[in-house]
Amino acid sequence: MISLQNVSKVYRTKTIETTALNNINLEVPKGEFLSIMGPSGCGKSTLLNIIGLLDEPSDGAVIVAGQTVQKYSSKATSRFRNEKLGFIFQSFHLIPDLKVIDNVELPLLYRNVSGKERRRLSEEALESVGLKNRMNHFPNQLSGGQKQRVAIARAIVGKPEIILADEPTGNLDSVMGNEVMDILMKLNKEGQTTIVMVTHDENMARKTNRLVRLYDGSQIQ
Amino acid sequence: MFKNYLLLAWRVLGRKKFFTFISLFGISFTLGILMVIISFLQTELGTDQPWTNRNRMVMFGMIEMRNVVPDTTFLIDSTLVDGVMAYDTTKSVGETSNSTTISSLGGRFLENHFRDLKYAENETFYIPGVSYNAYVNDSKIVLDCYYTDPNYWEILDFNFIEGRPYDQDMFDRAEQVVVITDKIANEYFGTDEDIVGREIKMDGKNHKVIGLIKKPLSSLLNGDVWAPTTLLANYLGDIDRYTGGYRSYFLARSKSDVTKLQAEIEAKEDEIPLDIIEDYNQMFLEDKTGNMFQAFARNLIPFNEPRRAGRALSIILIGFITLFVLLPTLNLINLNVSRIMERSSEIGVRKAFGASKGNILGQFIFENVILTIIGGFIGLGLASLLIYFINSANLLEFLKLTVNYKFFIISFIIVILFGIISGFLPAYRMSKIHIVNALKSNKL
Ligand SMILES: Nc1ncnc2c1ncn2[C@@H]1O[C@H](COP(=O)(O)OP(=O)(O)OP(=O)(O)O)[C@@H](O)[C@H]1O
Ligand SMILES: [Mg+2]
């Protein structure tokens, strides 16, 4: 499902050069729940962004869902992100001016889906994270765990094949973190969704199929 | 999709009340001023009645006559050659003009030299602004009379409420007939109904009203009464004079013939003989004709040459519009940049979930257009108020500003353009933002 070949990422500024990723080779088969761990600044987010086509590698090939990505800013790539990928962020990134239901609906706006259908799919997604009763609330009326569940609903509403989560439980206490983790595991088992998750929490990582450790931009296991 | 954007635009504007207020203030003020300018230009330069033919019209109303006498100057140079004084004399003949007149035209001058021009389809020679006093119920009213030929009514397309203009026969027979405006009818008769057939006393004689027209709004036409030129004694003027009280309009065969017609008229400068004229021996027609924009400009800017006035007015208008539109646009762009920057993580999220550059661009331009439309409506209110004030206080003499459907259409187009232009730059910048950087700003 995901294949990285000799991927490197170097950030160049005027004064220094930072190697965020150094020659990474990674294969993620369909349906796997992979977690990525490592100390702060070791390149976890960079790796996830590259898998999610949000960032371009300095070197190497990225093949996601059978497609080799070439032009990152093209319409085709936008479309690909829209159809194949779902993102969950540590800080939720919900749009404060939109109601929960409208936030969830967002990925469908960029598809050819009627308003009625969008509504139905969004309610369904909210139902599956147990928040259908909150659909007319605004994000700031929700707890952190609830916000992240809304973010999950948004990530899954378009039925993507791959979900990329960057520290989804990082801002949550353990109870809420576990709730979120349970939802992700259920998605992975029942929906055969491939999930790549960055985490700092060994307990969370242990629940996944496989763990990749990064250290200073390199894969160590 | 648009419903969604509309909802979001509404919420964003509602949340950022201060920003919205500042923006709306600027937008509505700018657009309001712009609408007043449009209304003014439309009234003065549009093709509403009676100016249906405006784009093909050429006005010619002034000549410059000079009397130039040769002036001989002797220059004596003295040098000492071999102890003897030698004189070297040169004589130069200069020109001094010792009298110049700039005047409107003589009737005979026009009749003899300007009927049936090659590029003109029609022409009218008329005398504007002859004032008469009339007394109605012991109070005085002033009648501003235009004396014209019958062609006048073909070139200018007046809106006749009642009756008709005088024709060639009536003109030739010098019938005592007039066409009057509804405004003067109300003042003179106390009504503007059933006016045709009544008599109006002017210059001590009774004139039969044969036509009632709507008072024209334009500043180029401030008459109350129109009558055949033949009513005036010696209406063509003296044989040995090219000057007089006349002005003229010519109608070019097509819009593109206007400049050719102007050139044709001005070229008469070299053709018209001057030996029959007593006081002057040179005539200048250069730069004395104008198309209707130049005529309008000459009315506003005190230059004798209509074309020069036209150029000056163009520069003034462009400068004015630049100032009143560009500055607020730049300001709005600036406001928009900071407003959009605050929403960079929203843009990041949208792009991560598949929004293309075009989607982002569309969304933010749409939002800005909504904002400008709201501002446009406020501006329209402002403009209407201002126009009402200008009209009722009679700030522009002889001119009533109009607000009609054309005005709304032009204003609406300007509003939309304004919204798109001021929204485009910031939106375009943000649509190109790198997703990861956008998400990092972490403001959501
Ligand atoms: N835009 C950038 N310009 C320069 N350097 C960058 C940029 N983005 C990231 N880096 C550097 O790349 C390295 C990897 O960053 P990354 O965000 O991937 O770390 P991380 O493992 O996700 O850390 P954390 O656990 O704190 O989130 C860091 O050393 C960081 O300073
Ligand atoms: Mg990180």
Side-chain angles (χ1 to χ4, degrees), chain A residues 11 13 18 20 38-47 166-167 200, chain B residues 437 440:
Chain A
Y11 290 107
T13 58
T18 318
S40 184
C42 71
K44 304 179 298 291
S45 295
T46 307
L47 180 63
D166 195 349
E167 298 184 41
H200 277 295
Chain B
N437 294 338
K440 264 191 194 149

